[in-house]
Every structure is written in structure tokens, then in C-alpha cells.
Amino acid sequence: MDDAERKLSPQETLRLIEQQGSVAANRLTPDPVPHYLAWGVAWLVGYSALFLHHGLSGTPYAPIPFPLVLALLFGSMLAATLVSALTIWQLGSPVRGASQQRGTMYGLAWFFGSLAVWVAGIRFAPQLPSAEGSLLWASLSMTVVAVLYMAGGAIWLLRSMFVFGAGLAVLNAIGTVAGPGWHALLMSLGAGGGSIAAGLLLRRSAGR
């Protein structure tokens, strides 16, 4: 009797089921690495420019015009948003049911959270000095990001995602109290550098 006609033992059947389950999970699970790397680069570039513009003591380290700072900050974040949208689309497109609904609602939470930040920033930032206005924008944005990371970790039971969001919340609170320059520095190194490190660690783990 050749191999094609040989019946599999219970152990071999279980091993085959586990292998096929792993293959299916890999196909249906989106790669989180581009998301972490894209946002890491966006925060590193955008908040570094903001830090150079404000300086720790209110004295700019580099004569970067504020419109250019905003263009770098929001332009890089827009690019990262597109990458994240693609990741969420990959999560929802191959599956149906509760998983798709959960991913769709989570994506909408990012949209409506960002919309709330824009409304608050447009309403209150013009009434503040330039540095404090930019701090308002930055701190509100990172508050929404931190909360949604923690919410995502709770929804999908991803402890690393929840811990990363909690870390962002702590850094954001410390930077907001310390001032615009310190906030930009913490977000650049902590949020940007931390997100890049998380993406590289995930890529390394996937490779192993």
C-alpha cells in the first residue's frame, strides 16, 4: 500500500490539523509590523521637528518655520493612517461575522476619535499662545491614540498592545505637565522610537 492510500494515525491527523490551522491563521491575520513602523517613523519625524522648533526651554534649537513643522507632523501621520487603514482592511476583508464587525467598529473609533480632536483643537487652540496651542493638539491626539491602543489590546486580548498604549498614556501625561518641548521630545523618542522597536521585535519574532 503506497503513501497515498495509507491511513493517518490519530497523532499524524492531529499534527496535520495543527499545521493547517497555523497556515490559515497566518493567512487571515494581518501583519502588524507595517503599522508599528509607519507610526513610529511618523512620530519620530513629526515630533522631532516640533521639538527642534520649540526647544526644551522655549528657545528653538533650529529655525524651522512652524507651517513646515505642521506639514511634517500631519503629513507623516496621514501617511501612517493610510498604512493603518490598509492593515484594518486586511483584517476585515477575508473574514465575516463578529471579527469583521469588531474590526470595523475599531476602525471607526479611530476616525471619530480623530474627528473629536480636530474639533477641539480648531475651537480652543487659536485662543492659546502658539506653543501651548501646539501642545493642546499633540496631547489630545496622543490621548486618543493611547486609549485606542489599550482598547484594541483589550478587544483582541493582546497584552503587548495594551501595555504599549498604557506607556503612551504615561509619557503623554508627563510631557503635557512638563511643557511643549518636553512633550515633543518624549513623543519623538518614546512613542516614535518605541513603536519602531516594537515593529522590529515583531518582525524578528515572525522570522523565528
Side-chain angles (χ1 to χ4, degrees), residues 12-48:
E12 292 173 324
T13 301
L14 180 60
R15 181 173 56 84
L16 180 61
I17 292 174
E18 292 176 347
Q19 289 178 346
Q20 294 302 314
S22 298
V23 171
N26 290 332
R27 288 181 55 199
L28 297 176
T29 302
D31 184 6
V33 174
H35 168 86
Y36 279 97
L37 292 180
W39 277 104
V41 172
W43 289 329
L44 184 63
V45 172
Y47 282 112
S48 292

Side-chain angles (χ1 to χ4, degrees), residues 47 50 73 133-143 172 183:
Y47 282 112
L50 198 60
L73 181 61
S134 65
L135 178 60
L136 175 68
W137 278 102
S139 60
L140 286 178
S141 298
M142 295 309 298
T143 297
N172 185 50
H183 185 272

Side-chain angles (χ1 to χ4, degrees), residues 78-109:
L78 177 60
T81 300
L82 295 177
V83 174
S84 297
L86 178 60
T87 301
I88 294 174
W89 177 81
Q90 289 175 337
L91 177 65
S93 60
V95 296
R96 295 293 183 269
S99 296
Q100 184 189 42
Q101 295 173 10
R102 190 179 296 118
T104 300
M105 287 188 287
Y106 185 67
L108 290 174

